[in-house]
Amino acid sequence: MFGQGKLEKEVCKLFDEHMEYIQRCLNGLKTVFLLYVDGKFEEAKQSSFEVCNAESEADTKRRTIIERLYEGAFLPGLREDLIRFTSMADKIADHAESCCDFTVAQQPAIPEQFKDRFVRLLESSIGTFKPLIEGSRTLFTDFAHLREKTMQVNIEESSVDKDEWNLTRDIFQSGVALAEKMHLRELVWHISEISDVAQDAADWLEVLVVKKRV
Amino acid sequence: MIWKTLPGLYLGWGLGATHAANVFGPQVASETISYRRAAFLTAIFIFIGALVEGSKCFGTIGSVAAISVALPAAVATLAAALVVHLMLVAGLPVSSSQAIVGALIGVGISQGNHLGANTLVKLSVSWILTPIGAAVVSYLLYRIIGKLWESRVRNVLVFNRAVSVCSIAIGCYAAYSLGANNLANTTGIYVSVGLLSPFLASILGGLSMAAGVATCSKKVMFTVGKRLTSLEPFTAMIAVLAGAITLHLYAQLGVPVSSSQAIVGAVVGIGMVKGVRTVNRRTLVSIIGGWVFTVLGTAVLGYCLGFLIT
């Protein structure tokens, strides 16, 4: 019924590319973390550069999206909403990078009994991004499927929260030194922050769509 | 002859300057369209509306107080224009339709004319029914178009284009309706006293309203527009469309009504669909106050000015 403008199509493409770079950041973080828990510190450090690069690329895409929007793509009200979502999604890449930096630079000592749980926590925290990326695509295809995707983000985030709480409790009940406990707690926070930010972005996505409905 | 039409042109200018906000206010305030483009479209369509259908309300204005001489007609129009201008400066809501009718009543009484009781009853009923009718129209539009909108507008790309296209089309139609309904307020009385032909009255009235839009509508457009942009884009579009349809329907009945009151009624109607209260008590009081004080104020001023020329 209504056609699409050239600038709008370009923003749509940039939007996809931005999300792709965030995904790359998260995949890179997982690689770094797996290498780290395997004790391959040097390889982990090398891989962390890829995370940094992907984060920089995501930032560049975000800035290009903002430029295109202010060149006239989309109506002003919609423009602000899209910028806000892009910025929120971009924070996921920022958190992935800072988690990566924390791991590689501070090298927290993860006791053997907690290694698997840390990996699982990271996987489920990163996992919240999958429904978010699918949900964000519905913005440009069909709003109807958005709700189920944002619900999925919320469910997965709750599961991460639960794991985070249990892991923190178990760390503090273990026999490791207090300084190490504090250090591990910080690592837990860095990992779970990714899912928290993903949930915030999903919530905003839902608000954005509700505002467009009758 | 020309100087006697000046108050009508002054009233037309004021009407265009203030009422353009009810047509393109939300679109301009939300930057869907630039002010310059909105003013240009409003001026064009208000003029077309005045030219094509504006003469339909001439008869009603002419039969309010049986004024048949040019000077009292000019005085009544001047009284209406002054009150409109004063109320605008004071920031009070004003209806040009109610202003001209009040002024004609005042001047008519001062001249010892018989008032058209039937016309006054018709006008009073119409003014009460304007917001109610607009509420009904917006209620129906919201339900019907809302369903179509939900089924067709399924992503931001379509939403963006639909809002851009529809809000401009609706704004143009609203400007057309405003010209068609409110033209008689500006030059209608000059037709009934034989000072202007209906065609010339339409041209002059239409041009004066267009001039008001083009020169002085910016501030009011942003002020009123921002009030309406607190509504979602679809709701604001329906409110403007319902107001425009109401004005157009009243133009077919030959009754000039208030576009501001129609919009308020339309917003109430949408609130009824959503089950929320969209208009507060203060707004309702200001509408009723507008009815009473505009008619009373212009009637008193019209009577005084009419008494002076007698």
PDB file of all heavy atoms in Angstrom, chain A residues 60-89:
ATOM      1  N   THR A  60      30.685   2.268  14.797  1.00  0.00           N
ATOM      2  CA  THR A  60      30.663   3.012  13.523  1.00  0.00           C
ATOM      3  C   THR A  60      29.289   2.894  12.871  1.00  0.00           C
ATOM      4  O   THR A  60      28.734   3.874  12.371  1.00  0.00           O
ATOM      5  CB  THR A  60      31.751   2.460  12.565  1.00  0.00           C
ATOM      6  OG1 THR A  60      32.974   2.402  13.288  1.00  0.00           O
ATOM      7  CG2 THR A  60      31.910   3.322  11.337  1.00  0.00           C
ATOM      8  N   LYS A  61      28.745   1.674  12.897  1.00  0.00           N
ATOM      9  CA  LYS A  61      27.416   1.461  12.286  1.00  0.00           C
ATOM     10  C   LYS A  61      26.369   2.289  13.028  1.00  0.00           C
ATOM     11  O   LYS A  61      25.490   2.875  12.413  1.00  0.00           O
ATOM     12  CB  LYS A  61      27.023  -0.025  12.340  1.00  0.00           C
ATOM     13  CG  LYS A  61      27.845  -0.907  11.432  1.00  0.00           C
ATOM     14  CD  LYS A  61      27.520  -0.669   9.967  1.00  0.00           C
ATOM     15  CE  LYS A  61      28.539  -1.383   9.084  1.00  0.00           C
ATOM     16  NZ  LYS A  61      28.486  -0.943   7.698  1.00  0.00           N
ATOM     17  N   ARG A  62      26.479   2.318  14.345  1.00  0.00           N
ATOM     18  CA  ARG A  62      25.512   3.087  15.144  1.00  0.00           C
ATOM     19  C   ARG A  62      25.551   4.558  14.757  1.00  0.00           C
ATOM     20  O   ARG A  62      24.515   5.185  14.543  1.00  0.00           O
ATOM     21  CB  ARG A  62      25.821   2.928  16.645  1.00  0.00           C
ATOM     22  CG  ARG A  62      24.856   3.680  17.565  1.00  0.00           C
ATOM     23  CD  ARG A  62      25.219   3.468  19.024  1.00  0.00           C
ATOM     24  NE  ARG A  62      26.559   3.964  19.336  1.00  0.00           N
ATOM     25  CZ  ARG A  62      26.825   5.228  19.671  1.00  0.00           C
ATOM     26  NH1 ARG A  62      25.855   6.095  19.768  1.00  0.00           N
ATOM     27  NH2 ARG A  62      28.062   5.603  19.931  1.00  0.00           N
ATOM     28  N   ARG A  63      26.798   5.065  14.595  1.00  0.00           N
ATOM     29  CA  ARG A  63      26.919   6.488  14.225  1.00  0.00           C
ATOM     30  C   ARG A  63      26.356   6.729  12.828  1.00  0.00           C
ATOM     31  O   ARG A  63      25.703   7.742  12.585  1.00  0.00           O
ATOM     32  CB  ARG A  63      28.388   6.923  14.291  1.00  0.00           C
ATOM     33  CG  ARG A  63      28.818   7.165  15.705  1.00  0.00           C
ATOM     34  CD  ARG A  63      30.152   7.891  15.782  1.00  0.00           C
ATOM     35  NE  ARG A  63      30.856   7.447  16.984  1.00  0.00           N
ATOM     36  CZ  ARG A  63      31.842   6.563  16.991  1.00  0.00           C
ATOM     37  NH1 ARG A  63      32.281   6.050  15.863  1.00  0.00           N
ATOM     38  NH2 ARG A  63      32.401   6.205  18.121  1.00  0.00           N
ATOM     39  N   THR A  64      26.603   5.795  11.929  1.00  0.00           N
ATOM     40  CA  THR A  64      26.072   5.962  10.556  1.00  0.00           C
ATOM     41  C   THR A  64      24.549   5.942  10.576  1.00  0.00           C
ATOM     42  O   THR A  64      23.905   6.707   9.857  1.00  0.00           O
ATOM     43  CB  THR A  64      26.609   4.831   9.631  1.00  0.00           C
ATOM     44  OG1 THR A  64      27.986   4.653   9.894  1.00  0.00           O
ATOM     45  CG2 THR A  64      26.398   5.167   8.164  1.00  0.00           C
ATOM     46  N   ILE A  65      23.991   5.057  11.409  1.00  0.00           N
ATOM     47  CA  ILE A  65      22.517   4.997  11.512  1.00  0.00           C
ATOM     48  C   ILE A  65      21.987   6.366  11.968  1.00  0.00           C
ATOM     49  O   ILE A  65      21.060   6.920  11.376  1.00  0.00           O
ATOM     50  CB  ILE A  65      22.076   3.892  12.512  1.00  0.00           C
ATOM     51  CG1 ILE A  65      22.335   2.515  11.914  1.00  0.00           C
ATOM     52  CG2 ILE A  65      20.595   4.036  12.879  1.00  0.00           C
ATOM     53  CD1 ILE A  65      22.140   1.351  12.889  1.00  0.00           C
ATOM     54  N   ILE A  66      22.634   6.927  12.988  1.00  0.00           N
ATOM     55  CA  ILE A  66      22.175   8.237  13.510  1.00  0.00           C
ATOM     56  C   ILE A  66      22.295   9.311  12.420  1.00  0.00           C
ATOM     57  O   ILE A  66      21.384  10.105  12.219  1.00  0.00           O
ATOM     58  CB  ILE A  66      22.975   8.621  14.781  1.00  0.00           C
ATOM     59  CG1 ILE A  66      22.631   7.641  15.908  1.00  0.00           C
ATOM     60  CG2 ILE A  66      22.673  10.058  15.216  1.00  0.00           C
ATOM     61  CD1 ILE A  66      23.478   7.755  17.156  1.00  0.00           C
ATOM     62  N   GLU A  67      23.426   9.268  11.685  1.00  0.00           N
ATOM     63  CA  GLU A  67      23.611  10.254  10.596  1.00  0.00           C
ATOM     64  C   GLU A  67      22.502  10.142   9.568  1.00  0.00           C
ATOM     65  O   GLU A  67      21.891  11.126   9.170  1.00  0.00           O
ATOM     66  CB  GLU A  67      24.957  10.025   9.903  1.00  0.00           C
ATOM     67  CG  GLU A  67      26.118  10.716  10.580  1.00  0.00           C
ATOM     68  CD  GLU A  67      27.445  10.235  10.013  1.00  0.00           C
ATOM     69  OE1 GLU A  67      27.494   9.852   8.825  1.00  0.00           O
ATOM     70  OE2 GLU A  67      28.438  10.228  10.769  1.00  0.00           O
ATOM     71  N   ARG A  68      22.244   8.905   9.127  1.00  0.00           N
ATOM     72  CA  ARG A  68      21.209   8.697   8.094  1.00  0.00           C
ATOM     73  C   ARG A  68      19.837   9.135   8.609  1.00  0.00           C
ATOM     74  O   ARG A  68      19.055   9.716   7.877  1.00  0.00           O
ATOM     75  CB  ARG A  68      21.140   7.223   7.673  1.00  0.00           C
ATOM     76  CG  ARG A  68      22.343   6.727   6.942  1.00  0.00           C
ATOM     77  CD  ARG A  68      22.490   7.369   5.552  1.00  0.00           C
ATOM     78  NE  ARG A  68      23.751   7.022   4.955  1.00  0.00           N
ATOM     79  CZ  ARG A  68      24.899   7.675   5.177  1.00  0.00           C
ATOM     80  NH1 ARG A  68      24.913   8.742   5.963  1.00  0.00           N
ATOM     81  NH2 ARG A  68      26.021   7.289   4.629  1.00  0.00           N
ATOM     82  N   LEU A  69      19.578   8.834   9.881  1.00  0.00           N
ATOM     83  CA  LEU A  69      18.269   9.218  10.442  1.00  0.00           C
ATOM     84  C   LEU A  69      18.118  10.737  10.433  1.00  0.00           C
ATOM     85  O   LEU A  69      17.081  11.262  10.056  1.00  0.00           O
ATOM     86  CB  LEU A  69      18.109   8.667  11.861  1.00  0.00           C
ATOM     87  CG  LEU A  69      17.838   7.158  11.959  1.00  0.00           C
ATOM     88  CD1 LEU A  69      17.939   6.671  13.394  1.00  0.00           C
ATOM     89  CD2 LEU A  69      16.461   6.807  11.419  1.00  0.00           C
ATOM     90  N   TYR A  70      19.201  11.433  10.812  1.00  0.00           N
ATOM     91  CA  TYR A  70      19.103  12.897  10.832  1.00  0.00           C
ATOM     92  C   TYR A  70      19.237  13.525   9.449  1.00  0.00           C
ATOM     93  O   TYR A  70      19.007  14.724   9.295  1.00  0.00           O
ATOM     94  CB  TYR A  70      20.080  13.499  11.853  1.00  0.00           C
ATOM     95  CG  TYR A  70      19.483  13.403  13.232  1.00  0.00           C
ATOM     96  CD1 TYR A  70      19.915  12.450  14.143  1.00  0.00           C
ATOM     97  CD2 TYR A  70      18.416  14.218  13.602  1.00  0.00           C
ATOM     98  CE1 TYR A  70      19.322  12.322  15.388  1.00  0.00           C
ATOM     99  CE2 TYR A  70      17.813  14.099  14.843  1.00  0.00           C
ATOM    100  CZ  TYR A  70      18.277  13.154  15.727  1.00  0.00           C
ATOM    101  OH  TYR A  70      17.668  13.033  16.957  1.00  0.00           O
ATOM    102  N   GLU A  71      19.594  12.714   8.463  1.00  0.00           N
ATOM    103  CA  GLU A  71      19.533  13.218   7.082  1.00  0.00           C
ATOM    104  C   GLU A  71      18.096  13.201   6.582  1.00  0.00           C
ATOM    105  O   GLU A  71      17.816  13.668   5.481  1.00  0.00           O
ATOM    106  CB  GLU A  71      20.420  12.354   6.171  1.00  0.00           C
ATOM    107  CG  GLU A  71      21.881  12.765   6.212  1.00  0.00           C
ATOM    108  CD  GLU A  71      22.799  11.740   5.559  1.00  0.00           C
ATOM    109  OE1 GLU A  71      22.323  10.934   4.730  1.00  0.00           O
ATOM    110  OE2 GLU A  71      23.992  11.742   5.902  1.00  0.00           O
ATOM    111  N   GLY A  72      17.196  12.594   7.366  1.00  0.00           N
ATOM    112  CA  GLY A  72      15.779  12.640   6.990  1.00  0.00           C
ATOM    113  C   GLY A  72      15.083  11.296   6.901  1.00  0.00           C
ATOM    114  O   GLY A  72      13.921  11.244   6.507  1.00  0.00           O
ATOM    115  N   ALA A  73      15.798  10.224   7.255  1.00  0.00           N
ATOM    116  CA  ALA A  73      15.116   8.924   7.215  1.00  0.00           C
ATOM    117  C   ALA A  73      14.123   8.846   8.376  1.00  0.00           C
ATOM    118  O   ALA A  73      14.457   9.225   9.495  1.00  0.00           O
ATOM    119  CB  ALA A  73      16.138   7.795   7.330  1.00  0.00           C
ATOM    120  N   PHE A  74      12.949   8.409   8.122  1.00  0.00           N
ATOM    121  CA  PHE A  74      11.873   8.239   9.112  1.00  0.00           C
ATOM    122  C   PHE A  74      11.398   9.576   9.713  1.00  0.00           C
ATOM    123  O   PHE A  74      12.099  10.583   9.656  1.00  0.00           O
ATOM    124  CB  PHE A  74      12.275   7.275  10.238  1.00  0.00           C
ATOM    125  CG  PHE A  74      12.464   5.862   9.771  1.00  0.00           C
ATOM    126  CD1 PHE A  74      13.723   5.326   9.595  1.00  0.00           C
ATOM    127  CD2 PHE A  74      11.358   5.072   9.458  1.00  0.00           C
ATOM    128  CE1 PHE A  74      13.898   4.024   9.138  1.00  0.00           C
ATOM    129  CE2 PHE A  74      11.533   3.774   8.999  1.00  0.00           C
ATOM    130  CZ  PHE A  74      12.799   3.247   8.841  1.00  0.00           C
ATOM    131  N   LEU A  75      10.200   9.518  10.288  1.00  0.00           N
ATOM    132  CA  LEU A  75       9.618  10.696  10.935  1.00  0.00           C
ATOM    133  C   LEU A  75      10.365  10.980  12.237  1.00  0.00           C
ATOM    134  O   LEU A  75      10.883  10.047  12.853  1.00  0.00           O
ATOM    135  CB  LEU A  75       8.136  10.433  11.243  1.00  0.00           C
ATOM    136  CG  LEU A  75       7.251  10.247  10.028  1.00  0.00           C
ATOM    137  CD1 LEU A  75       5.908   9.647  10.429  1.00  0.00           C
ATOM    138  CD2 LEU A  75       7.029  11.571   9.326  1.00  0.00           C
ATOM    139  N   PRO A  76      10.415  12.240  12.661  1.00  0.00           N
ATOM    140  CA  PRO A  76      11.206  12.575  13.858  1.00  0.00           C
ATOM    141  C   PRO A  76      10.886  11.735  15.097  1.00  0.00           C
ATOM    142  O   PRO A  76      11.805  11.317  15.797  1.00  0.00           O
ATOM    143  CB  PRO A  76      10.874  14.049  14.086  1.00  0.00           C
ATOM    144  CG  PRO A  76      10.527  14.553  12.747  1.00  0.00           C
ATOM    145  CD  PRO A  76       9.834  13.431  12.040  1.00  0.00           C
ATOM    146  N   GLY A  77       9.614  11.492  15.362  1.00  0.00           N
ATOM    147  CA  GLY A  77       9.244  10.705  16.540  1.00  0.00           C
ATOM    148  C   GLY A  77       9.819   9.307  16.478  1.00  0.00           C
ATOM    149  O   GLY A  77      10.390   8.791  17.451  1.00  0.00           O
ATOM    150  N   LEU A  78       9.711   8.709  15.309  1.00  0.00           N
ATOM    151  CA  LEU A  78      10.206   7.353  15.078  1.00  0.00           C
ATOM    152  C   LEU A  78      11.741   7.329  15.135  1.00  0.00           C
ATOM    153  O   LEU A  78      12.350   6.392  15.668  1.00  0.00           O
ATOM    154  CB  LEU A  78       9.713   6.913  13.696  1.00  0.00           C
ATOM    155  CG  LEU A  78       9.735   5.452  13.338  1.00  0.00           C
ATOM    156  CD1 LEU A  78       9.093   4.611  14.418  1.00  0.00           C
ATOM    157  CD2 LEU A  78       8.971   5.253  12.027  1.00  0.00           C
ATOM    158  N   ARG A  79      12.338   8.400  14.616  1.00  0.00           N
ATOM    159  CA  ARG A  79      13.792   8.545  14.584  1.00  0.00           C
ATOM    160  C   ARG A  79      14.371   8.428  16.003  1.00  0.00           C
ATOM    161  O   ARG A  79      15.304   7.669  16.235  1.00  0.00           O
ATOM    162  CB  ARG A  79      14.069   9.959  14.063  1.00  0.00           C
ATOM    163  CG  ARG A  79      15.203  10.081  13.123  1.00  0.00           C
ATOM    164  CD  ARG A  79      15.267  11.503  12.614  1.00  0.00           C
ATOM    165  NE  ARG A  79      14.446  11.725  11.445  1.00  0.00           N
ATOM    166  CZ  ARG A  79      14.100  12.931  10.997  1.00  0.00           C
ATOM    167  NH1 ARG A  79      14.479  14.014  11.621  1.00  0.00           N
ATOM    168  NH2 ARG A  79      13.367  13.037   9.907  1.00  0.00           N
ATOM    169  N   GLU A  80      13.789   9.180  16.926  1.00  0.00           N
ATOM    170  CA  GLU A  80      14.275   9.167  18.311  1.00  0.00           C
ATOM    171  C   GLU A  80      14.161   7.767  18.911  1.00  0.00           C
ATOM    172  O   GLU A  80      15.057   7.304  19.606  1.00  0.00           O
ATOM    173  CB  GLU A  80      13.479  10.150  19.181  1.00  0.00           C
ATOM    174  CG  GLU A  80      13.610  11.606  18.762  1.00  0.00           C
ATOM    175  CD  GLU A  80      15.049  12.105  18.804  1.00  0.00           C
ATOM    176  OE1 GLU A  80      15.798  11.668  19.686  1.00  0.00           O
ATOM    177  OE2 GLU A  80      15.424  12.916  17.929  1.00  0.00           O
ATOM    178  N   ASP A  81      13.048   7.099  18.616  1.00  0.00           N
ATOM    179  CA  ASP A  81      12.836   5.744  19.152  1.00  0.00           C
ATOM    180  C   ASP A  81      13.889   4.783  18.606  1.00  0.00           C
ATOM    181  O   ASP A  81      14.426   3.950  19.337  1.00  0.00           O
ATOM    182  CB  ASP A  81      11.442   5.235  18.756  1.00  0.00           C
ATOM    183  CG  ASP A  81      10.337   5.980  19.486  1.00  0.00           C
ATOM    184  OD1 ASP A  81      10.646   6.659  20.478  1.00  0.00           O
ATOM    185  OD2 ASP A  81       9.172   5.885  19.058  1.00  0.00           O
ATOM    186  N   LEU A  82      14.173   4.893  17.301  1.00  0.00           N
ATOM    187  CA  LEU A  82      15.150   3.986  16.687  1.00  0.00           C
ATOM    188  C   LEU A  82      16.555   4.256  17.211  1.00  0.00           C
ATOM    189  O   LEU A  82      17.324   3.320  17.461  1.00  0.00           O
ATOM    190  CB  LEU A  82      15.120   4.130  15.159  1.00  0.00           C
ATOM    191  CG  LEU A  82      13.854   3.609  14.467  1.00  0.00           C
ATOM    192  CD1 LEU A  82      13.855   3.947  12.991  1.00  0.00           C
ATOM    193  CD2 LEU A  82      13.708   2.094  14.646  1.00  0.00           C
ATOM    194  N   ILE A  83      16.870   5.535  17.402  1.00  0.00           N
ATOM    195  CA  ILE A  83      18.203   5.879  17.936  1.00  0.00           C
ATOM    196  C   ILE A  83      18.349   5.298  19.342  1.00  0.00           C
ATOM    197  O   ILE A  83      19.384   4.726  19.688  1.00  0.00           O
ATOM    198  CB  ILE A  83      18.409   7.411  17.948  1.00  0.00           C
ATOM    199  CG1 ILE A  83      18.594   7.919  16.518  1.00  0.00           C
ATOM    200  CG2 ILE A  83      19.618   7.800  18.807  1.00  0.00           C
ATOM    201  CD1 ILE A  83      18.635   9.413  16.378  1.00  0.00           C
ATOM    202  N   ARG A  84      17.299   5.430  20.113  1.00  0.00           N
ATOM    203  CA  ARG A  84      17.368   4.923  21.495  1.00  0.00           C
ATOM    204  C   ARG A  84      17.567   3.413  21.502  1.00  0.00           C
ATOM    205  O   ARG A  84      18.389   2.901  22.271  1.00  0.00           O
ATOM    206  CB  ARG A  84      16.088   5.307  22.243  1.00  0.00           C
ATOM    207  CG  ARG A  84      16.177   4.968  23.695  1.00  0.00           C
ATOM    208  CD  ARG A  84      15.172   5.692  24.520  1.00  0.00           C
ATOM    209  NE  ARG A  84      15.205   5.139  25.879  1.00  0.00           N
ATOM    210  CZ  ARG A  84      14.336   5.416  26.808  1.00  0.00           C
ATOM    211  NH1 ARG A  84      13.373   6.266  26.565  1.00  0.00           N
ATOM    212  NH2 ARG A  84      14.416   4.880  27.995  1.00  0.00           N
ATOM    213  N   PHE A  85      16.841   2.713  20.618  1.00  0.00           N
ATOM    214  CA  PHE A  85      17.010   1.256  20.580  1.00  0.00           C
ATOM    215  C   PHE A  85      18.426   0.895  20.135  1.00  0.00           C
ATOM    216  O   PHE A  85      19.064   0.011  20.716  1.00  0.00           O
ATOM    217  CB  PHE A  85      15.972   0.594  19.655  1.00  0.00           C
ATOM    218  CG  PHE A  85      16.216  -0.882  19.518  1.00  0.00           C
ATOM    219  CD1 PHE A  85      15.941  -1.728  20.580  1.00  0.00           C
ATOM    220  CD2 PHE A  85      16.783  -1.412  18.371  1.00  0.00           C
ATOM    221  CE1 PHE A  85      16.208  -3.090  20.502  1.00  0.00           C
ATOM    222  CE2 PHE A  85      17.052  -2.771  18.276  1.00  0.00           C
ATOM    223  CZ  PHE A  85      16.755  -3.605  19.340  1.00  0.00           C
ATOM    224  N   THR A  86      18.919   1.574  19.103  1.00  0.00           N
ATOM    225  CA  THR A  86      20.261   1.282  18.593  1.00  0.00           C
ATOM    226  C   THR A  86      21.302   1.491  19.694  1.00  0.00           C
ATOM    227  O   THR A  86      22.222   0.678  19.851  1.00  0.00           O
ATOM    228  CB  THR A  86      20.576   2.199  17.389  1.00  0.00           C
ATOM    229  OG1 THR A  86      19.494   2.123  16.485  1.00  0.00           O
ATOM    230  CG2 THR A  86      21.841   1.786  16.682  1.00  0.00           C
ATOM    231  N   SER A  87      21.142   2.588  20.443  1.00  0.00           N
ATOM    232  CA  SER A  87      22.104   2.873  21.517  1.00  0.00           C
ATOM    233  C   SER A  87      22.043   1.805  22.606  1.00  0.00           C
ATOM    234  O   SER A  87      23.079   1.400  23.155  1.00  0.00           O
ATOM    235  CB  SER A  87      21.826   4.238  22.141  1.00  0.00           C
ATOM    236  OG  SER A  87      21.883   5.208  21.145  1.00  0.00           O
ATOM    237  N   MET A  88      20.810   1.358  22.899  1.00  0.00           N
ATOM    238  CA  MET A  88      20.664   0.325  23.930  1.00  0.00           C
ATOM    239  C   MET A  88      21.290  -0.989  23.469  1.00  0.00           C
ATOM    240  O   MET A  88      21.972  -1.673  24.243  1.00  0.00           O
ATOM    241  CB  MET A  88      19.185   0.125  24.269  1.00  0.00           C
ATOM    242  CG  MET A  88      18.617   1.291  25.040  1.00  0.00           C
ATOM    243  SD  MET A  88      16.864   1.099  25.267  1.00  0.00           S
ATOM    244  CE  MET A  88      16.823   0.698  26.984  1.00  0.00           C
ATOM    245  N   ALA A  89      21.052  -1.326  22.209  1.00  0.00           N
ATOM    246  CA  ALA A  89      21.624  -2.566  21.669  1.00  0.00           C
ATOM    247  C   ALA A  89      23.148  -2.460  21.642  1.00  0.00           C
ATOM    248  O   ALA A  89      23.863  -3.434  21.919  1.00  0.00           O
ATOM    249  CB  ALA A  89      21.077  -2.830  20.272  1.00  0.00           C
TER     250      ALA A  89
END
